[in-house]
Amino acid sequence: MAHHFQIYKDKAGEFRVRFKYNDEVMFSTEGYSSKASAKNAIESIQKNGPKAKVVDES
């Protein structure tokens, strides 16, 4: 599996989403109190991500 979203529970018991590419974590979300909210985050990233602008603050 080259890339995928992973929903997991953190040490505080919150649901988080990681996006992994070749087993490397590319990003992780904030914690959510429900799995449904984590799934909504994935849907939002999939829908809005391709349209996102790049902001270079270097």
Side-chain angles (χ1 to χ4, degrees):
M1 197 178 314
H3 56 279
H4 62 279
F5 289 98
Q6 178 185 47
I7 298 173
Y8 67 99
K9 267 191 169 180
D10 64 15
K11 291 179 183 178
E14 293 185 313
F15 293 93
R16 292 181 180 264
V17 176
R18 287 191 267 238
F19 181 79
K20 296 180 85 176
Y21 183 78
N22 290 334
D23 291 327
E24 181 180 346
V25 176
M26 303 303 289
F27 68 83
S28 182
T29 66
E30 63 183 292
Y32 298 99
S33 58
S34 70
K35 188 182 281 190
S37 294
K39 288 181 178 183
N40 286 340
I42 292 170
E43 290 175 10
S44 178
I45 293 165
Q46 290 174 322
K47 178 183 174 186
N48 299 307
K51 302 173 194 169
K53 295 179 182 176
V54 175
V55 178
D56 185 350
E57 296 182 358
S58 57

Tab-separated table of all heavy atoms in Angstrom:
chain	number	residue	atom	x	y	z
A	1	MET	N	0.853	-1.175	0.000
A	1	MET	CA	0.000	0.000	0.000
A	1	MET	C	0.900	1.241	0.000
A	1	MET	O	1.548	1.544	0.991
A	1	MET	CB	-0.880	-0.042	1.253
A	1	MET	CG	-2.053	0.855	1.185
A	1	MET	SD	-3.156	0.794	2.635
A	1	MET	CE	-3.378	-0.926	2.941
A	2	ALA	N	0.974	1.939	-1.103
A	2	ALA	CA	1.879	3.081	-1.225
A	2	ALA	C	1.453	4.259	-0.357
A	2	ALA	O	2.274	4.863	0.313
A	2	ALA	CB	1.983	3.517	-2.680
A	3	HIS	N	0.174	4.601	-0.363
A	3	HIS	CA	-0.288	5.720	0.453
A	3	HIS	C	-1.690	5.438	0.964
A	3	HIS	O	-2.481	4.776	0.290
A	3	HIS	CB	-0.239	7.037	-0.329
A	3	HIS	CG	-1.001	7.012	-1.609
A	3	HIS	ND1	-0.502	6.475	-2.764
A	3	HIS	CD2	-2.241	7.466	-1.915
A	3	HIS	CE1	-1.391	6.599	-3.729
A	3	HIS	NE2	-2.457	7.190	-3.245
A	4	HIS	N	-1.967	5.956	2.159
A	4	HIS	CA	-3.279	5.717	2.751
A	4	HIS	C	-3.509	6.612	3.964
A	4	HIS	O	-2.566	7.158	4.528
A	4	HIS	CB	-3.433	4.251	3.159
A	4	HIS	CG	-2.462	3.809	4.208
A	4	HIS	ND1	-1.171	3.455	3.918
A	4	HIS	CD2	-2.600	3.666	5.544
A	4	HIS	CE1	-0.553	3.099	5.031
A	4	HIS	NE2	-1.399	3.236	6.041
A	5	PHE	N	-4.774	6.767	4.312
A	5	PHE	CA	-5.166	7.430	5.548
A	5	PHE	C	-5.295	6.365	6.617
A	5	PHE	O	-5.778	5.269	6.357
A	5	PHE	CB	-6.516	8.143	5.391
A	5	PHE	CG	-6.464	9.368	4.527
A	5	PHE	CD1	-6.832	9.301	3.206
A	5	PHE	CD2	-6.056	10.588	5.049
A	5	PHE	CE1	-6.806	10.424	2.405
A	5	PHE	CE2	-6.025	11.720	4.256
A	5	PHE	CZ	-6.401	11.645	2.931
A	6	GLN	N	-4.883	6.691	7.819
A	6	GLN	CA	-4.963	5.763	8.944
A	6	GLN	C	-5.666	6.472	10.102
A	6	GLN	O	-5.240	7.553	10.516
A	6	GLN	CB	-3.552	5.344	9.357
A	6	GLN	CG	-3.493	4.433	10.545
A	6	GLN	CD	-2.056	4.170	10.952
A	6	GLN	OE1	-1.248	5.083	11.053
A	6	GLN	NE2	-1.739	2.904	11.175
A	7	ILE	N	-6.736	5.891	10.605
A	7	ILE	CA	-7.414	6.409	11.792
A	7	ILE	C	-6.902	5.600	12.983
A	7	ILE	O	-6.844	4.376	12.929
A	7	ILE	CB	-8.943	6.260	11.677
A	7	ILE	CG1	-9.474	7.074	10.491
A	7	ILE	CG2	-9.621	6.693	12.973
A	7	ILE	CD1	-10.950	6.854	10.209
A	8	TYR	N	-6.520	6.314	14.028
A	8	TYR	CA	-6.018	5.621	15.227
A	8	TYR	C	-6.402	6.420	16.460
A	8	TYR	O	-6.795	7.578	16.371
A	8	TYR	CB	-4.496	5.444	15.150
A	8	TYR	CG	-3.716	6.737	15.228
A	8	TYR	CD1	-3.134	7.146	16.419
A	8	TYR	CD2	-3.573	7.551	14.110
A	8	TYR	CE1	-2.427	8.330	16.502
A	8	TYR	CE2	-2.865	8.735	14.182
A	8	TYR	CZ	-2.287	9.121	15.371
A	8	TYR	OH	-1.592	10.300	15.449
A	9	LYS	N	-6.321	5.783	17.608
A	9	LYS	CA	-6.573	6.450	18.884
A	9	LYS	C	-5.243	6.808	19.520
A	9	LYS	O	-4.327	5.974	19.585
A	9	LYS	CB	-7.349	5.534	19.833
A	9	LYS	CG	-8.831	5.711	19.768
A	9	LYS	CD	-9.495	4.974	20.925
A	9	LYS	CE	-10.947	5.358	21.013
A	9	LYS	NZ	-11.615	4.672	22.113
A	10	ASP	N	-5.133	8.058	19.984
A	10	ASP	CA	-3.909	8.479	20.654
A	10	ASP	C	-3.950	8.101	22.140
A	10	ASP	O	-4.916	7.499	22.615
A	10	ASP	CB	-3.657	9.974	20.439
A	10	ASP	CG	-4.713	10.870	21.057
A	10	ASP	OD1	-5.512	10.396	21.891
A	10	ASP	OD2	-4.747	12.061	20.700
A	11	LYS	N	-2.916	8.463	22.869
A	11	LYS	CA	-2.826	8.101	24.288
A	11	LYS	C	-3.927	8.732	25.127
A	11	LYS	O	-4.290	8.219	26.177
A	11	LYS	CB	-1.463	8.501	24.843
A	11	LYS	CG	-0.335	7.684	24.280
A	11	LYS	CD	0.996	8.128	24.844
A	11	LYS	CE	2.126	7.329	24.213
A	11	LYS	NZ	3.446	7.760	24.692
A	12	ALA	N	-4.478	9.859	24.657
A	12	ALA	CA	-5.557	10.542	25.383
A	12	ALA	C	-6.927	9.971	25.032
A	12	ALA	O	-7.937	10.414	25.557
A	12	ALA	CB	-5.526	12.034	25.069
A	13	GLY	N	-6.964	8.987	24.121
A	13	GLY	CA	-8.219	8.365	23.730
A	13	GLY	C	-8.955	9.087	22.619
A	13	GLY	O	-10.100	8.763	22.322
A	14	GLU	N	-8.288	10.076	21.992
A	14	GLU	CA	-8.900	10.795	20.879
A	14	GLU	C	-8.554	10.119	19.562
A	14	GLU	O	-7.512	9.466	19.432
A	14	GLU	CB	-8.412	12.243	20.849
A	14	GLU	CG	-8.881	13.063	22.021
A	14	GLU	CD	-8.484	14.504	21.892
A	14	GLU	OE1	-7.320	14.789	21.573
A	14	GLU	OE2	-9.362	15.350	22.104
A	15	PHE	N	-9.432	10.285	18.591
A	15	PHE	CA	-9.203	9.743	17.256
A	15	PHE	C	-8.387	10.745	16.450
A	15	PHE	O	-8.662	11.941	16.468
A	15	PHE	CB	-10.530	9.469	16.545
A	15	PHE	CG	-11.323	8.366	17.179
A	15	PHE	CD1	-12.282	8.647	18.138
A	15	PHE	CD2	-11.098	7.043	16.829
A	15	PHE	CE1	-13.020	7.646	18.733
A	15	PHE	CE2	-11.827	6.021	17.420
A	15	PHE	CZ	-12.787	6.320	18.371
A	16	ARG	N	-7.396	10.255	15.755
A	16	ARG	CA	-6.555	11.081	14.890
A	16	ARG	C	-6.429	10.407	13.536
A	16	ARG	O	-6.635	9.201	13.404
A	16	ARG	CB	-5.167	11.287	15.485
A	16	ARG	CG	-5.193	12.131	16.736
A	16	ARG	CD	-3.781	12.338	17.279
A	16	ARG	NE	-3.821	13.151	18.467
A	16	ARG	CZ	-3.619	14.461	18.481
A	16	ARG	NH1	-3.356	15.101	17.363
A	16	ARG	NH2	-3.674	15.127	19.613
A	17	VAL	N	-6.073	11.198	12.547
A	17	VAL	CA	-5.867	10.686	11.192
A	17	VAL	C	-4.426	10.973	10.792
A	17	VAL	O	-3.928	12.083	10.981
A	17	VAL	CB	-6.823	11.363	10.183
A	17	VAL	CG1	-6.521	10.901	8.764
A	17	VAL	CG2	-8.272	11.098	10.542
A	18	ARG	N	-3.779	9.958	10.263
A	18	ARG	CA	-2.442	10.126	9.681
A	18	ARG	C	-2.554	9.836	8.194
A	18	ARG	O	-3.317	8.953	7.792
A	18	ARG	CB	-1.460	9.099	10.236
A	18	ARG	CG	-1.026	9.302	11.620
A	18	ARG	CD	0.141	8.385	11.956
A	18	ARG	NE	-0.301	7.140	12.544
A	18	ARG	CZ	0.080	6.698	13.731
A	18	ARG	NH1	0.904	7.398	14.464
A	18	ARG	NH2	-0.349	5.554	14.180
A	19	PHE	N	-1.777	10.556	7.403
A	19	PHE	CA	-1.633	10.213	5.997
A	19	PHE	C	-0.229	9.655	5.854
A	19	PHE	O	0.753	10.316	6.209
A	19	PHE	CB	-1.810	11.429	5.087
A	19	PHE	CG	-1.683	11.083	3.632
A	19	PHE	CD1	-2.743	10.491	2.965
A	19	PHE	CD2	-0.520	11.319	2.938
A	19	PHE	CE1	-2.634	10.148	1.624
A	19	PHE	CE2	-0.404	10.989	1.605
A	19	PHE	CZ	-1.464	10.404	0.949
A	20	LYS	N	-0.155	8.421	5.380
A	20	LYS	CA	1.135	7.751	5.255
A	20	LYS	C	1.448	7.467	3.792
A	20	LYS	O	0.571	7.117	3.020
A	20	LYS	CB	1.132	6.443	6.045
A	20	LYS	CG	0.960	6.664	7.544
A	20	LYS	CD	0.953	5.384	8.311
A	20	LYS	CE	2.368	4.971	8.615
A	20	LYS	NZ	2.432	3.768	9.458
A	21	TYR	N	2.699	7.639	3.446
A	21	TYR	CA	3.194	7.318	2.107
A	21	TYR	C	4.428	6.454	2.284
A	21	TYR	O	5.398	6.872	2.931
A	21	TYR	CB	3.534	8.597	1.330
A	21	TYR	CG	3.967	8.326	-0.077
A	21	TYR	CD1	3.025	8.034	-1.063
A	21	TYR	CD2	5.304	8.327	-0.423
A	21	TYR	CE1	3.409	7.770	-2.360
A	21	TYR	CE2	5.698	8.062	-1.725
A	21	TYR	CZ	4.752	7.784	-2.688
A	21	TYR	OH	5.136	7.515	-3.984
A	22	ASN	N	4.365	5.240	1.762
A	22	ASN	CA	5.459	4.274	1.927
A	22	ASN	C	5.883	4.156	3.393
A	22	ASN	O	7.057	4.247	3.730
A	22	ASN	CB	6.660	4.635	1.060
A	22	ASN	CG	6.380	4.439	-0.407
A	22	ASN	OD1	5.541	3.626	-0.790
A	22	ASN	ND2	7.065	5.179	-1.243
A	23	ASP	N	4.920	4.019	4.278
A	23	ASP	CA	5.124	3.855	5.723
A	23	ASP	C	5.700	5.090	6.416
A	23	ASP	O	6.026	5.038	7.591
A	23	ASP	CB	5.987	2.631	6.033
A	23	ASP	CG	5.262	1.335	5.714
A	23	ASP	OD1	4.027	1.301	5.866
A	23	ASP	OD2	5.929	0.367	5.327
A	24	GLU	N	5.835	6.205	5.713
A	24	GLU	CA	6.292	7.447	6.329
A	24	GLU	C	5.085	8.340	6.587
A	24	GLU	O	4.250	8.534	5.705
A	24	GLU	CB	7.272	8.173	5.402
A	24	GLU	CG	7.797	9.451	5.984
A	24	GLU	CD	8.770	10.157	5.058
A	24	GLU	OE1	9.252	9.558	4.092
A	24	GLU	OE2	9.034	11.345	5.313
A	25	VAL	N	4.974	8.869	7.800
A	25	VAL	CA	3.872	9.764	8.128
A	25	VAL	C	4.139	11.120	7.479
A	25	VAL	O	5.145	11.768	7.766
A	25	VAL	CB	3.712	9.929	9.656
A	25	VAL	CG1	2.618	10.941	9.970
A	25	VAL	CG2	3.401	8.592	10.311
A	26	MET	N	3.219	11.517	6.599
A	26	MET	CA	3.350	12.802	5.909
A	26	MET	C	2.699	13.914	6.731
A	26	MET	O	3.200	15.020	6.777
A	26	MET	CB	2.724	12.740	4.520
A	26	MET	CG	3.304	11.645	3.632
A	26	MET	SD	5.090	11.761	3.416
A	26	MET	CE	5.202	13.182	2.383
A	27	PHE	N	1.562	13.613	7.354
A	27	PHE	CA	0.924	14.556	8.270
A	27	PHE	C	-0.038	13.820	9.176
A	27	PHE	O	-0.443	12.701	8.916
A	27	PHE	CB	0.215	15.708	7.535
A	27	PHE	CG	-1.000	15.303	6.741
A	27	PHE	CD1	-2.245	15.160	7.352
A	27	PHE	CD2	-0.909	15.082	5.378
A	27	PHE	CE1	-3.361	14.802	6.616
A	27	PHE	CE2	-2.025	14.727	4.640
A	27	PHE	CZ	-3.252	14.579	5.249
A	28	SER	N	-0.394	14.500	10.269
A	28	SER	CA	-1.333	13.970	11.241
A	28	SER	C	-2.279	15.096	11.639
A	28	SER	O	-1.880	16.254	11.689
A	28	SER	CB	-0.572	13.466	12.469
A	28	SER	OG	-1.450	12.900	13.407
A	29	THR	N	-3.522	14.752	11.919
A	29	THR	CA	-4.519	15.759	12.278
A	29	THR	C	-4.555	15.988	13.781
A	29	THR	O	-3.920	15.273	14.554
A	29	THR	CB	-5.927	15.324	11.834
A	29	THR	OG1	-6.320	14.167	12.586
A	29	THR	CG2	-5.991	15.035	10.347
A	30	GLU	N	-5.369	16.951	14.160
A	30	GLU	CA	-5.680	17.166	15.563
A	30	GLU	C	-6.484	15.977	16.069
A	30	GLU	O	-6.926	15.144	15.283
A	30	GLU	CB	-6.505	18.441	15.709
A	30	GLU	CG	-7.856	18.341	14.997
A	30	GLU	CD	-8.670	19.620	15.052
A	30	GLU	OE1	-9.103	19.977	16.145
A	30	GLU	OE2	-8.841	20.243	14.006
A	31	GLY	N	-6.715	15.918	17.363
A	31	GLY	CA	-7.521	14.849	17.936
A	31	GLY	C	-9.008	15.155	17.823
A	31	GLY	O	-9.423	16.308	17.933
A	32	TYR	N	-9.802	14.127	17.599
A	32	TYR	CA	-11.261	14.235	17.505
A	32	TYR	C	-11.884	13.321	18.555
A	32	TYR	O	-11.366	12.241	18.832
A	32	TYR	CB	-11.756	13.832	16.113
A	32	TYR	CG	-11.231	14.711	15.014
A	32	TYR	CD1	-10.141	14.317	14.245
A	32	TYR	CD2	-11.819	15.939	14.745
A	32	TYR	CE1	-9.658	15.128	13.235
A	32	TYR	CE2	-11.341	16.751	13.734
A	32	TYR	CZ	-10.259	16.341	12.984
A	32	TYR	OH	-9.778	17.149	11.989
A	33	SER	N	-13.017	13.748	19.092
A	33	SER	CA	-13.669	12.957	20.132
A	33	SER	C	-14.418	11.748	19.578
A	33	SER	O	-14.695	10.801	20.306
A	33	SER	CB	-14.633	13.824	20.942
A	33	SER	OG	-15.604	14.392	20.095
A	34	SER	N	-14.731	11.758	18.264
A	34	SER	CA	-15.441	10.623	17.660
A	34	SER	C	-14.769	10.180	16.369
A	34	SER	O	-14.107	10.971	15.687
A	34	SER	CB	-16.900	11.006	17.365
A	34	SER	OG	-16.965	11.929	16.300
A	35	LYS	N	-14.962	8.913	16.059
A	35	LYS	CA	-14.418	8.370	14.825
A	35	LYS	C	-15.095	9.018	13.617
A	35	LYS	O	-14.461	9.249	12.590
A	35	LYS	CB	-14.595	6.849	14.772
A	35	LYS	CG	-13.872	6.205	13.592
A	35	LYS	CD	-14.098	4.709	13.520
A	35	LYS	CE	-13.226	4.008	14.508
A	35	LYS	NZ	-13.227	2.537	14.314
A	36	ALA	N	-16.379	9.347	13.763
A	36	ALA	CA	-17.109	9.994	12.667
A	36	ALA	C	-16.462	11.336	12.304
A	36	ALA	O	-16.349	11.676	11.118
A	36	ALA	CB	-18.568	10.199	13.048
A	37	SER	N	-16.016	12.079	13.306
A	37	SER	CA	-15.341	13.355	13.045
A	37	SER	C	-14.014	13.141	12.322
A	37	SER	O	-13.653	13.912	11.430
A	37	SER	CB	-15.107	14.116	14.344
A	37	SER	OG	-16.330	14.503	14.913
A	38	ALA	N	-13.294	12.089	12.684
A	38	ALA	CA	-12.041	11.769	11.996
A	38	ALA	C	-12.318	11.405	10.533
A	38	ALA	O	-11.594	11.830	9.633
A	38	ALA	CB	-11.315	10.627	12.706
A	39	LYS	N	-13.378	10.648	10.299
A	39	LYS	CA	-13.744	10.290	8.928
A	39	LYS	C	-14.151	11.530	8.133
A	39	LYS	O	-13.840	11.652	6.947
A	39	LYS	CB	-14.861	9.256	8.923
A	39	LYS	CG	-14.397	7.886	9.363
A	39	LYS	CD	-15.532	6.870	9.325
A	39	LYS	CE	-15.045	5.495	9.713
A	39	LYS	NZ	-16.104	4.478	9.625
A	40	ASN	N	-14.840	12.479	8.794
A	40	ASN	CA	-15.203	13.735	8.137
A	40	ASN	C	-13.957	14.522	7.740
A	40	ASN	O	-13.929	15.168	6.691
A	40	ASN	CB	-16.097	14.587	9.038
A	40	ASN	CG	-17.504	14.054	9.131
A	40	ASN	OD1	-17.958	13.291	8.292
A	40	ASN	ND2	-18.203	14.438	10.183
A	41	ALA	N	-12.931	14.480	8.587
A	41	ALA	CA	-11.673	15.158	8.273
A	41	ALA	C	-11.049	14.569	7.012
A	41	ALA	O	-10.572	15.305	6.138
A	41	ALA	CB	-10.706	15.058	9.442
A	42	ILE	N	-11.068	13.251	6.899
A	42	ILE	CA	-10.535	12.591	5.702
A	42	ILE	C	-11.313	13.042	4.468
A	42	ILE	O	-10.713	13.406	3.446
A	42	ILE	CB	-10.578	11.055	5.841
A	42	ILE	CG1	-9.605	10.595	6.916
A	42	ILE	CG2	-10.265	10.384	4.503
A	42	ILE	CD1	-9.747	9.129	7.283
A	43	GLU	N	-12.626	13.047	4.562
A	43	GLU	CA	-13.456	13.475	3.425
A	43	GLU	C	-13.157	14.912	3.038
A	43	GLU	O	-13.079	15.242	1.846
A	43	GLU	CB	-14.934	13.307	3.761
A	43	GLU	CG	-15.369	11.861	3.852
A	43	GLU	CD	-16.814	11.695	4.312
A	43	GLU	OE1	-17.552	12.696	4.380
A	43	GLU	OE2	-17.187	10.550	4.612
A	44	SER	N	-12.962	15.778	4.012
A	44	SER	CA	-12.644	17.171	3.733
A	44	SER	C	-11.294	17.308	3.047
A	44	SER	O	-11.146	18.080	2.088
A	44	SER	CB	-12.648	17.976	5.033
A	44	SER	OG	-12.301	19.310	4.786
A	45	ILE	N	-10.302	16.569	3.512
A	45	ILE	CA	-8.970	16.606	2.899
A	45	ILE	C	-9.041	16.114	1.460
A	45	ILE	O	-8.462	16.714	0.553
A	45	ILE	CB	-7.966	15.775	3.710
A	45	ILE	CG1	-7.732	16.425	5.073
A	45	ILE	CG2	-6.652	15.606	2.955
A	45	ILE	CD1	-7.061	15.525	6.086
A	46	GLN	N	-9.766	15.027	1.238
A	46	GLN	CA	-9.883	14.484	-0.111
A	46	GLN	C	-10.599	15.458	-1.046
A	46	GLN	O	-10.238	15.589	-2.203
A	46	GLN	CB	-10.624	13.150	-0.083
A	46	GLN	CG	-9.807	12.041	0.549
A	46	GLN	CD	-10.592	10.755	0.714
A	46	GLN	OE1	-11.767	10.769	1.038
A	46	GLN	NE2	-9.911	9.635	0.513
A	47	LYS	N	-11.609	16.137	-0.526
A	47	LYS	CA	-12.401	17.063	-1.343
A	47	LYS	C	-11.664	18.374	-1.593
A	47	LYS	O	-11.615	18.866	-2.718
A	47	LYS	CB	-13.733	17.347	-0.649
A	47	LYS	CG	-14.610	18.336	-1.375
A	47	LYS	CD	-15.878	18.610	-0.592
A	47	LYS	CE	-16.696	19.701	-1.247
A	47	LYS	NZ	-17.855	20.072	-0.422
A	48	ASN	N	-11.099	18.950	-0.538
A	48	ASN	CA	-10.518	20.284	-0.623
A	48	ASN	C	-9.011	20.310	-0.878
A	48	ASN	O	-8.488	21.320	-1.328
A	48	ASN	CB	-10.824	21.058	0.661
A	48	ASN	CG	-12.313	21.210	0.873
A	48	ASN	OD1	-13.023	21.673	-0.003
A	48	ASN	ND2	-12.790	20.807	2.036
A	49	GLY	N	-8.333	19.226	-0.588
A	49	GLY	CA	-6.880	19.173	-0.736
A	49	GLY	C	-6.365	19.489	-2.125
A	49	GLY	O	-5.438	20.292	-2.274
A	50	PRO	N	-6.950	18.902	-3.166
A	50	PRO	CA	-6.446	19.183	-4.512
A	50	PRO	C	-6.565	20.651	-4.916
A	50	PRO	O	-5.838	21.117	-5.785
A	50	PRO	CB	-7.323	18.309	-5.408
A	50	PRO	CG	-7.774	17.205	-4.529
A	50	PRO	CD	-7.948	17.850	-3.175
A	51	LYS	N	-7.440	21.398	-4.268
A	51	LYS	CA	-7.647	22.810	-4.595
A	51	LYS	C	-6.816	23.742	-3.712
A	51	LYS	O	-6.815	24.950	-3.925
A	51	LYS	CB	-9.127	23.159	-4.418
A	51	LYS	CG	-10.066	22.332	-5.262
A	51	LYS	CD	-11.497	22.620	-4.885
A	51	LYS	CE	-12.420	21.563	-5.456
A	51	LYS	NZ	-13.758	21.643	-4.909
A	52	ALA	N	-6.134	23.191	-2.730
A	52	ALA	CA	-5.409	24.015	-1.766
A	52	ALA	C	-4.208	24.703	-2.407
A	52	ALA	O	-3.492	24.117	-3.225
A	52	ALA	CB	-4.942	23.170	-0.593
A	53	LYS	N	-4.011	25.960	-2.033
A	53	LYS	CA	-2.860	26.722	-2.502
A	53	LYS	C	-1.656	26.392	-1.632
A	53	LYS	O	-1.783	25.965	-0.491
A	53	LYS	CB	-3.150	28.216	-2.403
A	53	LYS	CG	-4.257	28.670	-3.325
A	53	LYS	CD	-4.489	30.148	-3.154
A	53	LYS	CE	-5.652	30.566	-4.054
A	53	LYS	NZ	-5.999	31.978	-3.873
A	54	VAL	N	-0.477	26.626	-2.163
A	54	VAL	CA	0.762	26.460	-1.409
A	54	VAL	C	1.174	27.830	-0.900
A	54	VAL	O	1.258	28.792	-1.674
A	54	VAL	CB	1.867	25.866	-2.298
A	54	VAL	CG1	3.188	25.818	-1.538
A	54	VAL	CG2	1.484	24.482	-2.786
A	55	VAL	N	1.382	27.941	0.404
A	55	VAL	CA	1.836	29.191	1.008
A	55	VAL	C	3.267	28.959	1.495
A	55	VAL	O	3.503	28.207	2.430
A	55	VAL	CB	0.922	29.610	2.188
A	55	VAL	CG1	1.440	30.883	2.826
A	55	VAL	CG2	-0.513	29.776	1.702
A	56	ASP	N	4.221	29.605	0.848
A	56	ASP	CA	5.641	29.462	1.207
A	56	ASP	C	6.013	30.597	2.146
A	56	ASP	O	6.059	31.751	1.740
A	56	ASP	CB	6.482	29.502	-0.043
A	56	ASP	CG	7.952	29.239	0.234
A	56	ASP	OD1	8.367	29.215	1.411
A	56	ASP	OD2	8.707	29.068	-0.750
A	57	GLU	N	6.254	30.273	3.401
A	57	GLU	CA	6.606	31.282	4.387
A	57	GLU	C	8.081	31.181	4.797
A	57	GLU	O	8.453	31.608	5.883
A	57	GLU	CB	5.697	31.149	5.616
A	57	GLU	CG	4.247	31.426	5.292
A	57	GLU	CD	3.335	31.340	6.501
A	57	GLU	OE1	3.814	31.025	7.614
A	57	GLU	OE2	2.127	31.585	6.325
A	58	SER	N	8.881	30.672	3.899
A	58	SER	CA	10.306	30.513	4.233
A	58	SER	C	11.089	31.794	4.091
A	58	SER	O	10.671	32.759	3.534
A	58	SER	CB	10.934	29.441	3.357
A	58	SER	OG	10.788	29.732	1.990
